[in-house]
Amino acid sequence: MQDKAFEEMLAFHCGPALAGIKPANLVSLSREEFPYLPLLAEEYSRQMECIGLRFRVVCRCRSRYLLLVYRENRLKAQLHRPEIAAILEEAGYPPAGMEQQLTVLEQRLSGGAFPHEIGAFLGYPAADIRGFQRDQGRGCLYSGLWKVYADVDGARLCFARYMRCRDCICRRLRQGVTLTQLFCAA
């Protein structure tokens, strides 16, 4: 099952995770536009299993879904980094086990306050996650794909790399290539 509108949304919002240069991306999708999203996520996970790409609905709100797109090996490595593991442990996540940590994240996304430690899952630098938590989102040095509190030059380079990746994948889709063809072609 290929869905052109879904693939376009994924390419635009999740290109770096699709390409494997970022552990994960999160995208919010309308339940009205994608009422079948949970089934679609399962199907794409099966199709992309060849490269360890997963699609997981982490929140089912009344009008929207939050979909986490991640490379399993990249996310595991990210969550095991000592500075990231410390952030998650301080936030009450289990010390090991990506699946258990994702389950806790899902519970928090469905609860009241937004879990700003989500940056740990999305590959944000630990210094930026801590800065955001400390300053409650204020006083950042730069704002781009996330709020930057430490290495502005490094973040700008990273943002530019992610944008080039996104643009390349979007261009290939406009040429008629599907995500499965692009990433799983043998």
Side-chain angles (χ1 to χ4, degrees), residues 32-139:
E32 184 176 330
E33 187 176 353
F34 297 101
Y36 47 87
L37 183 66
L39 295 174
L40 200 55
E42 287 177 22
E43 178 62 26
Y44 273 78
S45 285
R46 276 193 293 281
Q47 289 178 14
M48 303 287 205
E49 188 173 26
C50 61
I51 57 171
L53 199 53
R54 302 285 182 259
F55 301 79
R56 183 174 180 148
V57 177
V58 292
C59 185
R60 301 165 193 250
C61 305
R62 191 169 355 120
S63 62
R64 306 203 63 79
Y65 290 112
L66 283 181
L67 179 69
L68 186 71
V69 177
Y70 62 97
R71 289 284 184 127
E72 192 169 15
N73 60 343
R74 295 285 314 242
L75 185 55
K76 281 181 184 175
Q78 167 73 5
L79 298 177
H80 280 94
R81 292 177 48 219
E83 65 276 18
I84 295 300
I87 288 169
L88 292 176
E89 187 176 332
E90 290 166 16
Y93 285 76
M98 182 183 73
E99 282 301 316
Q100 295 88 345
Q101 291 170 328
L102 285 170
T103 298
V104 171
L105 178 64
E106 286 178 11
Q107 292 166 349
R108 292 189 176 181
L109 285 165
S110 297
F114 190 82
H116 293 293
E117 70 275 2
I118 197 168
F121 293 86
L122 300 176
Y124 298 178
D128 294 337
I129 298 167
R130 290 204 181 278
F132 187 92
Q133 290 173 327
R134 178 191 63 239
D135 298 341
Q136 299 176 353
R138 294 184 293 274

Side-chain angles (χ1 to χ4, degrees), residues 142 151-164:
Y142 184 74
D151 181 7
V152 173
D153 292 335
R156 284 183 175 156
L157 289 172
C158 184
F159 296 165
R161 182 177 182 221
Y162 290 168
M163 293 301 175
R164 284 190 309 273

